[in-house]
Amino acid sequence: MYQLRNRQLKDGKKERGSYEHVAHEFGPVYDSMSKILILGSLPSVKSREQQFYYGHPQNRFWRVLAGVLGAAEVPGTIAQKRSFLISNRIALWDVIASCDIIGSADSTIKNVKENDMSVIFETAPVRVIFTNGAKADVLFRKYCKGCIAGIPVIKLPSTSPANAAWSVQRLTEAWKEEIGKYL
């Protein structure tokens, strides 16, 4: 359903996929105690297939967050991930409700419709917003910044495998330095 439409060319290379209109099909994770909000841009193809956040096995989000929070183990199932977030008072969502995109490439995002952040802010006492990577930060500031007042927005380095210059350890240290101020 969400497969990137590549086709094999005669020389063995793959033709770049075509744009697909994608709608975010699963809601935010939060409750009335969530004080930290982490925002990505849009779920990857793998995450959309699994119907939950950061589902690509190479994405370091869950390992980094477990390290930041000193968890004994990284949550594996969707139920464990939800519980892990809620028990640590963390809300998780994405900036984009729908857009046109090629596969999972943030650099190809266009025709953005943003998520309505008031869904979370009307219920949860969010004290800080963290954006997971540059694209999520740019999109939030462009489309959603006006929906909040007085809440700090902090850009964190992306946990995406595309951000290969950052190791899990380096990501964990950077995230812990920022998130630790609000725990």
Side-chain angles (χ1 to χ4, degrees), residues 80-147:
Q80 289 169 339
K81 291 172 182 177
R82 281 184 189 281
S83 177
F84 178 70
L85 291 167
I86 296 300
S87 67
N88 284 287
R89 298 183 178 180
I90 296 173
L92 182 62
W93 206 11
D94 289 306
V95 175
I96 298 175
S98 67
C99 69
D100 296 331
I101 188 170
I102 298 174
S104 299
D106 276 358
S107 62
T108 67
I109 291 171
K110 64 181 186 178
N111 301 322
V112 171
K113 166 88 173 82
E114 72 277 7
N115 274 315
D116 179 3
M117 296 295 150
S118 69
V119 169
I120 294 176
F121 294 120
E122 289 173 356
T123 302
V126 172
R127 294 180 17 215
V128 63
I129 299 167
F130 292 102
T131 54
N132 186 357
K135 190 63 167 190
D137 193 69
V138 166
L139 290 167
F140 178 80
R141 291 176 192 282
K142 180 175 182 178
Y143 295 103
C144 305
K145 184 68 171 149
C147 72

